[in-house]
Amino acid sequence: MTAPVFLADAAALRASDVVVLDGDEGRHAAVVRRIAPGETVELTDGAGQLARCVVVAASKQGLTCEVTERFDVPEPRPRVVLAQAIPKGDRGETAVETMTEVGVDEILPWPAQRCMVRWTGERGDKALRRWRSTAREAAKQSRRAWLPVVGDPVPTTALAARVAAAALAVVLHEEATEPLGALDLPADGDILLVVGPEGGVAPDELDQLAAAGAVVARLGPTVLRTSTAGTVAAGIVLARTPRWA
């Protein structure tokens, strides 16, 4: 059985061979997961530091862990960034969860024209917090040393700027003729994948992103839900990079 992963303070991981995991994370490990002395856990700061530890004490407040090995995990290259049109209901959290498990490095909520949901005020803040919490928990479950970044919502103008800065930017579209799996992939930089809403990417949005340098590609012969397409696309891309070798 693989060791469970928990998030720890970066300075604490560097400072000592004995790390106290407390707060919400420590209480979850000790009370919910019931991690006991003698068990092995892995602690990460979510930015490449990873420490394999043996638990030497446990209480309701958390765990005391003795470091046995330390690793500095390089940031994955190329980076996979996914702009996800905001779906309705809990489909957004589903998309974030599976994209994180697959290995997406950055997720950009995109309020596309044809999105049925609008993140405004406290409702929008709450939804964004859910996405970030989902990404954090999915990263631990999938044992990632680098947590994905869930950014603030990006309007199409800002998304076009990200397209222009990417090593490769792809808008997924069911009417495209070239498959995603046939595109030449860069060895470094950002690969930006854009997933539209259920109603599709509006023509003027497509024109704006294409003008910034995006190419248009399809996933396959079927049309996927917006909450599924990003995970499938990321898997296709990652399988063709050294990251999944």
Side-chain angles (χ1 to χ4, degrees):
M1 182 177 177
T2 56
V5 174
F6 299 98
L7 292 173
D9 179 72
L13 284 180
R14 291 284 189 196
S16 173
D17 287 338
V18 177
V19 179
V20 176
L21 185 69
D22 53 13
D24 292 341
E25 195 78 352
R27 285 189 291 273
H28 177 78
V31 177
V32 179
R33 296 292 300 271
R34 299 188 179 184
I35 304 295
E39 294 190 56
T40 299
V41 298
E42 292 186 351
L43 306 180
T44 180
D45 66 347
Q49 283 195 73
L50 185 67
R52 186 166 294 137
C53 309
V54 174
V55 177
V56 296
S59 70
K60 291 182 179 179
Q61 282 69 49
L63 307 177
T64 301
C65 307
E66 185 175 282
V67 177
T68 59
E69 292 181 271
R70 281 190 171 88
F71 307 90
D72 285 313
V73 181
E75 187 174 9
R77 295 290 181 183
R79 294 178 76 249
V80 176
V81 182
L82 208 142
Q84 172 66 58
I86 299 171
K88 61 183 179 180
D90 60 0
R91 290 187 178 274
E93 288 98 292
T94 299
V96 169
E97 180 178 55
T98 54
M99 288 189 291
T100 299
E101 291 173 359
V102 166
V104 171
D105 301 290
E106 185 177 1
I107 300 167
L108 303 173
W110 178 33
Q113 287 183 30
R114 293 175 176 172
C115 288
M116 297 180 65
V117 175
R118 294 295 164 188
W119 283 3
T120 57
E122 177 57 30
R123 178 184 180 183
D125 293 341
K126 184 177 180 180
L128 183 57
R129 288 195 298 269
R130 285 199 304 268
W131 280 34
R132 287 173 172 164
S133 175
T134 298
R136 183 173 61 251
E137 295 306 312
K140 292 191 296 180
Q141 185 277 328
S142 53
R143 307 183 77 248
R144 290 181 57 166
W146 286 85
L147 267 63
V149 175
V150 179
D152 292 332
V154 289
T156 302
T157 51
L159 181 57
R162 290 296 302 264
V163 165
L168 172 67
V170 184
V171 179
L172 302 175
H173 199 287
E174 68 273 14
E175 295 180 1
T177 57
E178 189 166 17
L180 176 62
L183 298 179
D184 292 331
L185 301 181
D188 203 357
D190 286 357
I191 299 175
L192 172 58
L193 304 172
V194 180
V195 176
E198 298 291 347
V201 180
D204 60 321
E205 291 174 324
L206 191 60
D207 290 344
Q208 190 172 352
L209 298 176
V215 298
V216 182
R218 59 178 172 82
L219 286 177
T222 60
V223 178
L224 304 183
R225 300 295 297 258
T226 184
S227 54
T228 309
T231 301
V232 173
I236 291 172
V237 167
L238 287 163
R240 299 178 56 224
T241 72
R243 292 178 56 171
W244 276 23

